[in-house]
Amino acid sequence: MNTRPRTAATPDGLDLRGSTTLTIDLTKPGRQEPAKVEQSGGRDVVERLRSDIVSSVFEPETRLKFADMTKRYDVGIGTLREGLSQLVSEGFVTLEAGKGFRVAPVSGEELIEITEHFIELEKRAITDAIAHGDDDWESHIVSSHHRLNIIEKLSWPERIERHSEWVQRHREFHESLVAACRGKWLFKLRSLMFNQLDRYRFVTKMAPQGLGKEKFEEHRQIMLATLDRDAEKASALIEHHIRDTSERARTML
């Protein structure tokens, strides 16, 4: 007899593993109501929380109140606590006994350290990607740069109106460059550092000098060097791109 647990599914057949389990307590008399199934799984909450912190919806050192956040993300306290605890381990949130969760503070010293780690990881990742990327990888780089460039060609007021789209497309472009990297842990670590760096860089992205045409030209040059399979040039361009943006952010802290 097959005793494997059955997987809960939606009417569409979608796998709900990772979502809150539907439970009924059979030890109590009377008709039992199923426990509330939360609309957002734990992984989704972590991603939304991280995105809100990175984009400064929650500014550094903001207290994260359960009452407000369970409503914002439409989840229970347990799921929210798990999500916040994961972000503590990633360095985006702090937990202090008796005072609860807060958005992690920022500092110039930390930005310098994050920048150095990210540069090292990104250069290793793009070198590996260039060595092993195929035609599909190249096509994705071109398409993601095109999507990014659509917004970067707009006037300053128009870019501000579509800033949230720019942030997402900027992330997608940089991820496309290293998508062919074979190192799973290398990719995970560079993604963590990218998120940390993006939080710091956000202040420059909202300033005209942070979204200047020279940064857009840098994106194009990085793309071309990568497509030419010139790992040395691509690495050098990326390092300059990252250091310059980080320095702008450091002067604004």
Side-chain angles (χ1 to χ4, degrees):
M1 181 177 181
N2 186 357
T3 59
R4 185 177 62 182
R6 297 178 61 188
T7 301
T10 64
D12 296 326
L14 298 176
D15 190 350
L16 292 182
R17 287 173 292 184
S19 299
T20 302
T21 304
L22 187 67
T23 58
I24 299 177
D25 188 349
L26 299 178
T27 64
K28 296 182 180 180
R31 183 171 179 266
Q32 299 297 317
E33 295 294 336
K36 178 182 178 181
V37 177
E38 295 177 359
Q39 295 181 6
S40 300
R43 181 178 301 177
D44 181 55
V45 171
V46 171
E47 292 174 354
R48 292 170 64 193
L49 272 165
R50 187 191 296 114
S51 176
D52 283 346
I53 291 171
V54 168
S55 59
S56 292
V57 172
F58 298 119
E59 296 182 350
E61 302 188 64
T62 297
R63 183 182 175 190
L64 302 173
K65 301 177 181 179
F66 281 118
D68 296 335
M69 302 189 72
T70 52
K71 293 178 181 179
R72 177 180 178 85
Y73 300 109
D74 194 22
V75 295
I77 291 178
T79 300
L80 181 60
R81 186 183 296 277
E82 289 178 6
L84 288 169
S85 296
Q86 179 171 330
L87 293 181
V88 169
S89 68
E90 294 181 10
F92 293 102
V93 175
T94 62
L95 175 60
E96 188 174 351
K99 296 184 178 180
F101 294 94
R102 289 183 182 274
V103 178
V106 295
S107 70
E109 293 77 11
E110 184 180 69
L111 174 56
I112 292 172
E113 182 180 2
I114 290 170
T115 299
E116 294 302 323
H117 286 314
F118 181 68
I119 288 172
E120 179 63 25
L121 293 166
E122 192 77 337
K123 289 168 67 175
R124 289 173 56 191
I126 198 166
T127 297
D128 191 73
I130 286 173
H132 301 99
D134 56 15
D135 292 349
D136 288 339
W137 168 69
E138 290 189 1
S139 297
H140 186 50
I141 292 173
V142 173
S143 63
S144 62
H145 179 265
H146 175 69
R147 281 170 46 80
L148 177 63
N149 193 48
I150 288 173
I151 298 178
E152 293 186 335
K153 290 190 302 183
L154 299 174
S155 66
W156 169 247
E158 291 174 312
R159 293 204 303 267
I160 284 298
E161 288 181 1
R162 300 183 64 179
H163 183 67
S164 61
E165 291 180 78
W166 182 89
V167 170
Q168 181 59 36
R169 294 184 185 191
H170 178 257
R171 176 185 298 272
E172 290 172 356
F173 169 66
H174 278 279
E175 286 186 348
S176 73
L177 295 169
V178 298
C181 172
R182 299 179 303 169
K184 183 174 72 172
W185 278 104
L186 173 57
F187 192 87
K188 284 183 177 181
L189 289 172
R190 68 74 56 191
S191 296
L192 174 60
M193 290 294 102
F194 184 95
N195 286 328
Q196 285 286 358
L197 196 57
D198 221 24
R199 183 162 83 108
Y200 278 90
R201 292 185 304 202
F202 197 85
V203 291
T204 67
K205 291 174 183 174
M206 292 304 294
Q209 63 270 29
L211 283 170
K213 291 183 179 179
E214 71 276 8
K215 305 307 293 183
F216 306 155
E217 176 61 19
E218 287 173 15
H219 288 148
R220 190 179 76 87
Q221 293 297 329
I222 291 169
M223 175 191 68
L224 293 175
T226 303
L227 295 178
D228 286 342
R229 306 290 177 135
D230 190 335
E232 184 176 355
K233 184 176 181 180
S235 296
L237 289 170
I238 284 177
E239 180 169 0
H240 170 76
H241 182 68
I242 296 167
R243 288 194 186 281
D244 180 66
T245 307
S246 292
E247 183 59 26
R248 292 168 186 252
R250 192 183 65 81
T251 61
M252 295 181 184
L253 289 177

